[in-house]
Amino acid sequence: KLSEEMLMKLKEGKSVKDIQKKLASIKMEDLTKSLVNDNQRMAFWINIYNAYIIAILKEQPNKFKDRGNFFTTKQIRIAAYDF
């Protein structure tokens, strides 16, 4: 639900800081339990990836000038892991 909510808020031009905080602090065990099949896992990670790219570029559009650095820098924190 968080990934879908994040995308919806971004589409509406709303802040997603609250969702980013939840995702950063969620326990990996809880995240794993909530994604019960491959379809849910795939949808979650695709939505999160897309939502974070949008959120990052909304705040700092110049980051995309160096695309190589943009896509190799760890900028997403989920369940205490940086991606």
Side-chain angles (χ1 to χ4, degrees), residues 22-28 76-83:
K22 288 177 188 176
L23 288 167
S25 64
I26 193 171
K27 293 180 183 177
M28 186 58 83
I76 300 170
R77 186 158 186 84
I78 298 175
Y81 291 92
D82 294 320
F83 299 93

Side-chain angles (χ1 to χ4, degrees), residues 19-34:
I19 295 172
Q20 289 173 315
K21 285 181 182 180
K22 288 177 188 176
L23 288 167
S25 64
I26 193 171
K27 293 180 183 177
M28 186 58 83
E29 179 181 314
D30 294 338
L31 180 59
T32 303
K33 285 180 184 178
S34 70

Side-chain angles (χ1 to χ4, degrees), residues 5-11 13-23 51-52 54-56 58-59:
E5 184 181 343
M6 188 171 178
L7 280 172
M8 291 305 290
K9 280 188 161 189
L10 285 166
K11 285 180 184 179
K14 296 179 181 176
S15 173
V16 293
K17 293 289 184 195
D18 58 329
I19 295 172
Q20 289 173 315
K21 285 181 182 180
K22 288 177 188 176
L23 288 167
Y52 264 95
I54 293 167
I56 291 166
K58 274 186 143 181
E59 286 185 15

Side-chain angles (χ1 to χ4, degrees), residues 63-76:
K63 279 189 136 189
F64 199 65
K65 286 183 179 180
D66 183 354
R67 287 171 178 80
N69 187 51
F70 181 81
F71 287 109
T72 57
T73 301
K74 293 183 177 188
Q75 304 181 72
I76 300 170

Side-chain angles (χ1 to χ4, degrees), residues 36-47:
V36 296
N37 60 47
D38 286 342
N39 287 337
Q40 286 183 349
R41 286 186 282 278
M42 185 168 57
F44 172 81
W45 288 108
I46 290 170
N47 285 343

